[in-house]
């Protein structure tokens, strides 16, 4: 009989501990949901941002597309375009569709590889 009482008491303590953990987790999740800013869809879609960027660099193709939510600053679509050996980075404002930044770099994968291995032979 004592073993049964011990098992019942142990079971109740275990349930109480589990219930407390579940309650704490749900309370934290509810608090986080209240403080988090609601997600707002960008006015400019990814397809529109691609079209805008391709007009900036005609003849290129999109090699990378990211949406950057910047909190207090304007959200932007960040695009990487490739045209030949040039790589262009274009930022498009997700609310207005205006190009906020454009930068071009040479794609120099060989790191100035002129075939010289440093040997004098």
């Amino acid at each position: 009989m004592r073993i049964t009482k011990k098992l019942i008491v142990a079971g109740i303590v275990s349930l109480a501990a589990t219930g407390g953990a579940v309650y704490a987790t749900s309370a934290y999740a509810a608090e986080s949901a209240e403080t988090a800013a609601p997600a707002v869809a960008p006015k400019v879609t990814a397809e529109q941002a691609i079209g805008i960027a391709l007009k900036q660099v005609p003849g290129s193709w999109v090699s990378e597309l990211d949406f950057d939510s910047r909190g207090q600053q304007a959200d932007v679509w960040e695009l990487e375009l490739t045209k030949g050996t040039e790589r262009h980075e274009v930022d498009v404002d997700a609310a207005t569709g205006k190009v906020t930044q454009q930068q071009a770099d040479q794609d120099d994968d060989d790191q100035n590889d002129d075939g010289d291995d440093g040997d004098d032979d």
Side-chain angles (χ1 to χ4, degrees), residues 14-30:
S14 175
L15 284 174
T18 303
V22 169
Y23 174 76
T25 303
S26 64
Y28 176 74

Side-chain angles (χ1 to χ4, degrees), residues 56-69:
Q56 293 292 313
V57 188
S60 64
W61 57 276
V62 178
S63 54
E64 190 174 324
L65 170 69
D66 293 313
F67 181 74
D68 188 7
S69 179

Side-chain angles (χ1 to χ4, degrees), residues 58-94:
S60 64
W61 57 276
V62 178
S63 54
E64 190 174 324
L65 170 69
D66 293 313
F67 181 74
D68 188 7
S69 179
R70 298 184 174 177
Q72 298 298 325
Q73 297 177 346
D75 298 339
V76 296
W77 289 102
E78 296 178 341
L79 295 99
E80 184 175 294
L81 305 167
T82 303
K83 182 177 181 180
T85 60
E86 293 181 341
R87 188 179 62 200
H88 298 263
E89 295 177 11
V90 179
D91 288 356
V92 177
D93 188 303

